[in-house]
Amino acid sequence: MKDWQSEMQAEFERAGQARTRGNEGQARVCARRAAGIATREYFTRRGERIRTPSAYDLLNRLAEEQSLSAELRQSARYLTLRVNEEFKLPVNVDLVAEARKLCDELLK
C-alpha cells in the first residue's frame, strides 16, 4: 500500500485531471479525499485514535478543533458542504484550493 503522502498527491492529481475534463464534481470528491488523508495524518501525529475511514467524518471533526485557526476550520466546513439539486455548492468556493490550503497547514 502506498504511503499517505503519495495517496494525497494522487488525489490532487486526479482532482486536476477531473477539472481539466470539466468534471467539477469529481474534482471536489478528490479534493475531499486528499483533505481527509491529511486530516487523518494530523490526528495521528497528535496521538489521537481514528475510528472512521470517512474523510467526511474526519473533516467534520476537524471543523470543531478549537486549537486550529478559524480559517482552517472554515476550510474544513467548506469541504463538507453538500451540493444542491443542480450539483452546485451553496457558496462560491474552490474546494481544490481549500483542500490544498488545509493540507499545507495541517502537515507543516
Side-chain angles (χ1 to χ4, degrees), residues 41-52:
E41 179 62 18
Y42 170 78
F43 285 130
T44 299
R45 288 179 181 183
R46 292 176 41 148
E48 297 185 33
R49 191 172 194 172
I50 306 301
R51 297 177 186 212
T52 179

Side-chain angles (χ1 to χ4, degrees), residues 10-22 27 30 96 100:
E11 290 296 346
F12 278 123
E13 288 172 12
R14 284 190 280 273
Q17 293 165 355
R19 187 168 272 174
T20 298
R21 290 190 312 272
C30 295
V96 176
R100 283 194 186 280

Side-chain angles (χ1 to χ4, degrees), residues 1-66:
M1 183 174 204
K2 296 179 184 177
D3 63 293
W4 66 267
Q5 292 167 318
S6 297
E7 290 292 331
M8 186 177 71
Q9 185 57 39
E11 290 296 346
F12 278 123
E13 288 172 12
R14 284 190 280 273
Q17 293 165 355
R19 187 168 272 174
T20 298
R21 290 190 312 272
N23 190 341
E24 192 62 26
Q26 186 64 42
R28 290 191 301 256
V29 168
C30 295
R32 286 184 185 111
R33 284 195 301 237
I37 292 165
T39 301
R40 179 179 306 284
E41 179 62 18
Y42 170 78
F43 285 130
T44 299
R45 288 179 181 183
R46 292 176 41 148
E48 297 185 33
R49 191 172 194 172
I50 306 301
R51 297 177 186 212
T52 179
S54 167
Y56 181 82
D57 291 345
L58 289 169
L59 289 165
N60 276 320
R61 181 175 164 188
L62 192 68
E64 301 301 318
E65 270 298 302
Q66 294 302 309

